[in-house]
Amino acid sequence: MEDRKLTVRAVERALDILMCFTRGSDLALTEIAGEIGLHKSTVHRLLTTLEEKGFVTRDQATEKYRLGLKIWELSAHLSQNDDPATLLLPQMERLRDRLGETVSLYLRNGTDRLRIQAVQSNQAIRRVAPIGARLPLYVGASSKVLVAYADDSVIQSLLEGPDWPTAIDKTAYVAQLQEIRRIGYATSYEEREPGAAAVSAPIFGRSGKIAAALSVSGPVSRLSPLTLQEFGPILIDAAKDMGMMINS
């Protein structure tokens, strides 16, 4: 039994290492060790195994690690029926072409939102949305959509969690969620990032539960509060069409 526990612990630690790359693409051994709270020698042994299996690769010049080709090989075999990032990409591209701004797709993951797909605006000044970015659920149009349509237990857990920012009034936040459910979309104007604005709508799967949040974002110089309101109904319609393609 003890050997089994050690084996499982090694797997968990290896997965923790891989998850470090959701926050950076080129990481040094010391950075990874500090991130997951393990001694450098332990992390080095795990990285060596991951490197041998092709899940990470090491730059000989900088001694930094990045994800290996095995990760991309695995992702290539994701079923389109189960992967909204792949399934909805053509619709996201059409929405980008129509509105001229960056389009993103988010899922809720614990107390974060995870950007699983993005189509960048073709304009010279644009908001770059890196895929794989993990952002807090407390602020931002997509965050509010993912929370507004979540189960009551999720909302309550978020409000009562130890990470809730003291600067955000809970009563006002709950009122925002109610307004989002009433009009069907959320907006944010320099909430999380100065100079950026966004509008987001929920994508519901065939089960009726929220499957993802569809977002359009860009600089405030182009996305005024009035423009965000004009985009809202367009996003609702696009999200409805996308929802028909999702089985969950």
Side-chain angles (χ1 to χ4, degrees):
M1 181 63 71
E2 185 64 26
D3 289 343
R4 184 179 179 183
K5 287 182 179 179
L6 289 173
T7 302
V8 172
R9 189 177 303 138
V11 173
E12 290 176 344
R13 288 173 171 176
L15 292 173
D16 287 341
I17 288 174
L18 292 177
M19 289 303 297
C20 288
F21 292 95
T22 63
R23 295 175 284 278
S25 57
D26 292 87
L27 302 175
L29 173 62
T30 52
E31 293 177 285
I32 298 172
E35 179 74 21
I36 63 177
L38 290 176
H39 195 276
K40 286 193 296 183
S41 61
T42 301
V43 175
H44 183 265
R45 288 196 298 271
L46 292 166
L47 280 167
T48 299
T49 301
L50 289 170
E51 186 178 8
E52 290 175 352
K53 295 294 184 180
F55 287 95
V56 299
T57 183
R58 182 167 57 94
D59 189 300
Q60 297 294 332
T62 65
E63 294 294 318
K64 289 190 174 184
Y65 294 85
R66 62 173 63 95
L67 291 176
L69 294 178
K70 187 64 68 173
I71 296 293
W72 307 114
E73 183 180 338
L74 287 174
S75 66
H77 292 282
L78 280 171
S79 170
Q80 289 195 5
N81 292 330
D82 300 325
D83 179 23
T86 301
L87 190 66
L88 302 180
L89 182 57
Q91 285 72 24
M92 293 176 65
E93 291 174 338
R94 283 195 286 270
L95 185 62
R96 184 273 314 274
D97 294 342
R98 179 180 180 183
L99 300 181
E101 302 293 349
T102 296
V103 178
S104 300
L105 194 67
Y106 293 92
L107 298 180
R108 182 177 65 82
N109 185 260
T111 57
D112 295 328
R113 58 177 159 120
L114 182 65
R115 184 183 290 119
I116 64 169
Q117 186 60 279
V119 180
Q120 309 294 347
S121 169
N122 291 324
Q123 303 203 50
I125 300 176
R126 59 189 176 185
R127 185 166 182 267
V128 177
I131 297 172
R134 186 177 292 270
L135 304 167
L137 273 182
Y138 312 109
V139 292
S142 297
S143 290
K144 290 184 289 188
V145 161
L146 290 170
V147 176
Y149 293 95
D151 294 336
D152 290 341
S153 60
V154 173
I155 299 175
Q156 198 63 28
S157 177
L158 185 68
L159 292 171
E160 297 176 357
D163 297 326
W164 181 266
T166 56
I168 301 178
D169 182 78
K170 293 182 180 180
T171 301
Y173 182 82
V174 171
Q176 284 189 66
L177 300 183
Q178 294 173 342
E179 178 65 8
I180 291 165
R181 289 191 290 267
R182 185 184 71 83
I183 64 176
Y185 66 91
T187 63
S188 63
Y189 198 80
E190 295 189 304
E191 280 187 12
R192 188 186 64 82
E193 181 182 344
V199 55
S200 179
I203 298 176
F204 296 103
R206 294 180 183 177
S207 66
K209 291 187 175 182
I210 185 169
L214 178 67
S215 172
V216 171
S217 59
V220 295
S221 58
R222 291 197 302 267
L223 294 183
S224 67
L226 179 58
T227 302
L228 295 178
Q229 291 180 20
E230 292 173 347
F231 281 4
I234 298 173
L235 252 70
I236 291 175
D237 289 341
K240 286 180 179 177
D241 291 340
M242 292 181 186
M244 296 299 293
M245 303 174 64
I246 299 177
N247 292 324
S248 62

